[in-house]
Amino acid sequence: MKEFVYNGQPSRVVFGAGTLAHLEREIELLGARRALVLSTPEQQGHAQRVAERLGSRAAGVFARAVMHVPIETAREAREEARRLGADCAVAIGGGSTTGLGKAIALDSGLPIVAIPTTYAGSEMTPIYGITEGGLKKTGKDARVLPRTVIYDPELTLTLPVAMSVTSGMNAIAHAAEGLYARDGNPVMDLMAEEGIRALARALPAILRRSDDIDARGDALYGAWLCGTVLGNVGMALHHKLCHTLGGSFNLPHAEVHTVVLSHAIAFNAPAVPEAMARIRRALGAQGHGSAAAALFDLGLCNGAPVALRDIGMKEDDLDRAAEIVVGNPYWNPREVGATQRGEIRELLQKAFEGIRPE
């Protein structure tokens, strides 16, 4: 067995149908008295209901979270938290809302209670991302890791099927790259494979019946595992591509992860055969083609977009995207630098057209 270092992240998870009822208890355990409730405009109804549940413990509602956490929105939310005297944040929604909570915590150290209603997984990570000047900058800081995460499948029953699938594919991406992380370890490998397996089982069931509470629970379970992997080990080419396409070209976060995943995996596959075998096993695809093809099929068969041109990318921007990706050095199991620009450009072209990997 290879050498490894494992550090557990100090977060508390409350999991199960109806667990939103424990929110007041969880805020008390943090020693907090005034919670600023965060959401996107679309989730404002959820946020208002949470604020009503908290009563005098609610400092207010900030329902202006958006994708990729623009620095202007982060500053506005930080100022609102200060103005209202908030001593914690409750982030209800997906990755955009959790990301806004992290931007507040990075500035103020306020503890976050995250209540995910999608499968993004960012609630289990100390990773933050803020977009400024057309570039998405990411970092890692222990202050932004939510202190408590409440996973309540009942809150995901109304998540549209299309969003459920792309959000689930986004979560799978964390686990897939975690399986070949430079700082990987056996615990994260187990979590990654099980997370992929749970989501691959859940997504077709949600497609068949969107109110299947067991399938919704499976998906949240998978999201928790995949998010934990994301929070513990480093990511590689896939995430670099998605940060570039999302932050610089404003593509929708989960959809771009869904489209790019199979192509990034195909690029890295020759260098990491053990990780590919685990992905195939988790997807039930042993002996039936590559891990990349199986991931592509999982998205396609469940109605997800498979081409960048279908989610707002312009073909004229592919050259610039390739330049950004190879222009900033980072670790990947296969080298990615200026000499690989042509290969990255070809990868992006295939993703643009939605070509199934071999």
Side-chain angles (χ1 to χ4, degrees):
M1 182 177 289
K2 69 176 183 179
E3 295 181 357
F4 65 89
V5 173
Y6 171 70
N7 286 307
Q9 301 285 358
S11 62
R12 173 178 169 87
V13 171
V14 181
F15 194 103
T19 48
L20 181 62
H22 302 309
L23 176 59
E24 294 93 327
R25 179 193 71 192
E26 297 304 318
I27 290 176
E28 285 180 13
L29 288 172
L30 292 175
R33 296 181 179 277
R34 289 180 61 77
L36 178 62
V37 184
L38 309 173
S39 76
T40 61
E42 295 79 14
Q43 293 268 18
Q44 186 167 3
H46 268 321
Q48 292 290 355
R49 286 189 288 275
V50 165
E52 290 167 8
R53 172 185 288 275
L54 291 176
S56 61
R57 285 188 182 273
V61 172
F62 185 91
R64 296 193 286 282
V66 293
M67 285 192 309
H68 309 304
V69 194
I71 186 66
E72 297 81 8
T73 306
R75 288 170 179 154
E76 188 181 355
R78 290 166 178 170
E79 179 54 37
E80 187 75 347
R82 278 191 284 268
R83 185 182 71 80
L84 294 171
D87 59 3
C88 78
V90 174
I92 182 164
S96 298
T97 304
T98 303
L100 182 60
K102 290 179 175 183
I104 295 173
L106 185 67
D107 176 65
S108 65
L110 291 190
I112 304 167
V113 177
I115 309 171
T117 61
T118 71
Y119 311 125
S122 61
E123 66 278 356
M124 295 305 301
T125 82
I127 301 166
Y128 65 89
I130 297 175
T131 300
E132 183 174 10
L135 292 175
K136 187 170 184 176
K137 301 173 183 177
T138 62
K140 183 178 285 190
D141 192 304
R143 290 176 298 173
V144 309
L145 178 71
R147 296 273 290 277
T148 302
V149 182
I150 297 175
Y151 286 107
D152 186 342
E154 290 181 357
L155 298 177
T156 66
L157 290 173
T158 57
L159 183 66
V161 170
M163 291 178 63
S164 300
V165 174
T166 55
S167 183
M169 294 296 295
N170 181 12
I172 287 173
H174 309 327
E177 287 225 295
L179 284 168
Y180 51 67
R182 175 172 49 176
D183 54 351
N185 63 70
V187 175
M188 290 302 110
D189 288 349
L190 290 169
M191 285 188 151
E193 187 172 341
E194 174 67 0
I196 294 170
R197 182 178 296 111
L199 280 156
R201 180 175 62 236
L203 297 183
I206 291 170
L207 182 65
R208 288 192 296 270
R209 207 184 87 210
S210 64
D211 63 349
D212 183 337
I213 193 70
D214 292 330
R216 293 291 186 176
D218 264 351
L220 273 183
Y221 167 64
W224 167 52
L225 294 172
C226 295
T228 301
V229 173
L230 175 66
N232 279 272
V233 301
M235 299 287 106
L237 174 63
H238 169 78
H239 283 72
K240 178 64 177 180
L241 286 165
C242 291
H243 286 156
T244 297
L245 294 171
S248 297
F249 302 97
N250 200 36
L251 298 188
H253 182 83
E255 287 84 348
V256 77
H257 273 273
T258 301
V259 172
V260 169
L261 178 58
S262 62
H263 300 282
I265 292 296
F267 179 90
N268 281 331
V272 284
E274 289 185 17
M276 297 303 107
R278 280 183 174 269
I279 294 170
R280 286 198 305 272
R281 184 167 63 204
L283 295 172
Q286 303 101 304
H288 299 287
S290 69
L295 288 166
F296 182 94
D297 292 344
L298 180 64
L300 179 66
C301 293
N302 287 287
V306 294
L308 289 176
R309 62 185 172 196
D310 293 335
I311 61 170
M313 188 68 181
K314 297 176 182 176
E315 190 166 14
D316 290 347
D317 287 332
L318 295 179
D319 286 335
R320 180 171 163 238
E323 290 290 349
I324 295 171
V325 170
V326 302
N328 298 293
Y330 56 94
W331 184 86
N332 189 63
R334 279 186 67 189
E335 187 178 354
V336 177
T339 56
Q340 285 75 41
R341 184 196 175 284
E343 293 177 84
I344 297 302
R345 178 61 177 79
E346 182 182 359
L347 182 162
L348 288 169
Q349 186 68 41
K350 290 177 179 177
F352 178 79
E353 296 178 19
I355 297 172
R356 182 179 186 267
E358 296 298 324

